Amino acid sequence: MRSLVFLLLLAVASAKVYDRCDLARILKASGMDGYRGNTLPNWVCLTKWESSYNTDAINHNTDGSTDYGIFQINSRYWCNDGKTPRAKNVCGISCSELLSGNLAVAINCAKRVVQDPNGIGAWVAWRNHCQGRDLSSYVAGCGV
């Protein structure tokens, strides 16, 4: 019985690749639609191009920092991975927390990122793939 409970807890805590509409519903329920003036399609587009909706995504950057999770949050400024020199950890979290299928920590940190002057433009993928475009297809058919 203990083994089964452990495996269930492990499955819940594990990384996940979200379906576009499932992610859109979670982001909406978490207050992301309209947060700091950013519509839900902007958030879904951002996560598509940053991580392909994958909470386990990791990208190593040339400056020695690493991007983590579905939002690809950077270890230089926003989280602590114990490896990035002069890291700020503005979100006050371990970067490993961003790799969970539970998006609460990642969403809260993303909300913190957009409070800075660059806003959602802090994400290169958003600037390159989402900014100034019709993003309605990112939430089409999702009922949000």
Side-chain angles (χ1 to χ4, degrees):
M1 182 65 167
R2 281 186 183 167
S3 306
L4 179 61
V5 171
F6 174 75
L7 290 174
L8 288 173
L9 289 173
L10 183 62
V12 169
S14 297
K16 178 173 180 165
V17 177
Y18 278 88
D19 167 79
R20 174 181 60 87
C21 288
D22 288 342
L23 179 63
R25 285 188 280 277
I26 290 167
L27 294 174
K28 184 173 178 90
S30 300
M32 296 298 271
D33 191 16
Y35 188 80
R36 293 280 176 158
N38 300 294
T39 64
L40 186 59
N42 277 284
W43 291 110
V44 178
C45 179
L46 180 156
T47 56
K48 163 64 177 164
W49 292 100
E50 285 289 353
S51 66
S52 296
Y53 312 129
N54 184 356
T55 64
D56 204 29
I58 295 175
N59 180 53
H60 300 282
N61 301 308
T62 57
D63 70 352
S65 68
T66 304
D67 299 332
Y68 291 89
I70 200 162
F71 292 103
Q72 289 292 277
I73 291 174
N74 186 267
S75 64
R76 170 92 49 228
Y77 304 103
W78 306 108
C79 63
N80 178 22
D81 64 1
K83 299 182 275 188
T84 305
R86 300 173 309 282
K88 307 250 186 287
N89 194 11
V90 174
C91 290
I93 58 171
S94 168
C95 296
S96 64
E97 293 178 74
L98 299 168
L99 302 176
S100 168
N102 178 344
L103 295 179
V105 171
I107 288 170
N108 285 336
C109 190
K111 285 180 175 180
R112 175 58 188 89
V113 172
V114 297
Q115 292 174 27
D116 272 17
N118 289 331
I120 202 167
W123 282 277
V124 174
W126 179 83
R127 293 193 314 263
N128 291 341
H129 299 281
C130 311
Q131 185 176 21
R133 299 187 181 178
D134 176 7
L135 304 177
S136 57
S137 64
Y138 286 93
V139 294
C142 297
V144 292

